[in-house]
Amino acid sequence: MTHTAPLTFAPEVRDALDRGLPVVALESTIITHGMPWPQNLEMAEKVEATIREGGAVPATIAVMGGQIHIGLTPAALRALAQTPPAEAMKLSRADLAVCIANGRTGATTVAATMICAQLAGIKVFATGGIGGVHRGAEDSFDISADLQELAQTAVTVVAAGAKAILDLPKTWEVLETLGVPVIAYGQDELPAFWSRASGIRAPLRMDSPEEIAAAAAMRAALGLKGGQLVANPIPVEAEIPQDQIMPVIEQALSEAAAQGIAAKAVTPFLLSRVFELTQGRSLESNIELVLNNARLAARIAAAMA
């Protein structure tokens, strides 16, 4: 299938792809909707620097001016970081095309970043945590498009598991149904974003970037659709253990229910409340786990290259 997607490549990314060098895609909703200015820019620059230190080229993805930008120049990254959340669309598969067609600014979620990365020929993507099945989904049917995207788009996604505010058992159950390989890195248990442990045994375990790269190559050789999810536990020194974070999450969830917060507003509200209730510790952990995922993604991209 040929496509004529409106892609604009940062010079560094275009050069790396042309030369077959390792490239790691990065999402942009964490910049526009995840953190306030100027911490969001500092974090984005730090993640990009971490990928460069790992021997790969970072490609932060966003929609600006009717183009999908594959990699952002320093000026474009700064401009995106200064865009108010109300002015940046939060893009998934459903609204990506509309945002481009209307010339709006849009930040890519996991699903949209995977789509754009595949269009650009990038095989590895580092993020914080994926979306998943929301608590109470049996009534609301609120399930992130990220899960379906993992089942159909051939990108290896490195995350610290699914966000712990979600229904983790149901999230892993849906991924199993969709046939998505869920690989715990270096441990037998699936991590739970801020915590290394979830109490849920991982269906697959791998201990090296080379194994993960080989598995992706074999999926392609077998003609299997979809990507891989690499669940990379947060570093020990940065984690908030499960017994400490769960009561905080439960409180935030009950507040969201009481205030009637729903749909795309749920996750930002919950993350904001968890930040307040942990006095900022959750954000510090979040930054550390993103950097940790960037380091592993750079190694996987190098193994693929």
Side-chain angles (χ1 to χ4, degrees), residues 155-228:
V155 174
T156 293
V157 179
V158 183
K163 294 185 178 79
I165 53 179
L166 302 168
D167 187 323
L168 296 184
K170 286 193 180 72
T171 297
W172 304 125
E173 205 56 61
V174 169
L175 285 170
E176 184 183 1
T177 301
L178 293 172
V180 176
V182 177
I183 302 159
Y185 185 70
Q187 63 182 38
D188 294 319
E189 197 172 330
L190 286 165
F193 198 65
W194 292 295
S195 313
R196 291 175 65 82
S198 66
I200 302 168
R201 188 172 176 81
L204 297 165
R205 171 181 174 162
M206 290 187 175
D207 297 330
S208 75
E210 291 73 23
E211 282 181 276
I212 294 164
M218 186 53 70
R219 281 184 71 78
L222 294 171
L224 294 172
K225 278 200 319 175
Q228 309 182 110

Side-chain angles (χ1 to χ4, degrees), residues 38-214:
Q39 288 94 325
N40 58 351
L41 179 63
E42 291 163 14
M43 185 274 315
E45 289 173 341
K46 199 179 278 188
V47 174
E48 289 199 349
T50 299
I51 286 169
R52 287 192 184 95
E53 285 161 19
V57 172
T60 300
I61 293 175
V63 173
M64 301 165 94
Q67 291 284 313
I68 298 169
H69 288 260
I70 307 295
L72 298 177
T73 62
L77 188 63
R78 174 174 282 268
L80 185 71
Q82 288 180 301
T83 304
E87 289 176 25
M89 289 177 71
K90 192 174 173 183
L91 301 178
S92 194
R93 174 173 277 266
D95 36 23
L96 178 62
V98 170
C99 179
I100 299 165
N102 288 349
R104 296 271 309 273
T105 293
T108 55
T109 60
V110 169
T113 306
M114 289 180 73
I115 292 166
C116 298
Q118 188 176 49
L119 287 170
I122 300 170
K123 296 175 182 171
V124 186
F125 160 38
T127 185
I130 61 160
V133 179
H134 282 262
R135 312 280 184 106
E138 58 273 21
D139 299 315
S140 68
F141 280 75
D142 192 352
I143 300 173
S144 169
D146 294 354
L147 304 186
Q148 189 67 52
E149 207 58 54
L150 279 158
Q152 60 186 331
T153 302
V155 174
T156 293
V157 179
V158 183
K163 294 185 178 79
I165 53 179
L166 302 168
D167 187 323
L168 296 184
K170 286 193 180 72
T171 297
W172 304 125
E173 205 56 61
V174 169
L175 285 170
E176 184 183 1
T177 301
L178 293 172
V180 176
V182 177
I183 302 159
Y185 185 70
Q187 63 182 38
D188 294 319
E189 197 172 330
L190 286 165
F193 198 65
W194 292 295
S195 313
R196 291 175 65 82
S198 66
I200 302 168
R201 188 172 176 81
L204 297 165
R205 171 181 174 162
M206 290 187 175
D207 297 330
S208 75
E210 291 73 23
E211 282 181 276
I212 294 164

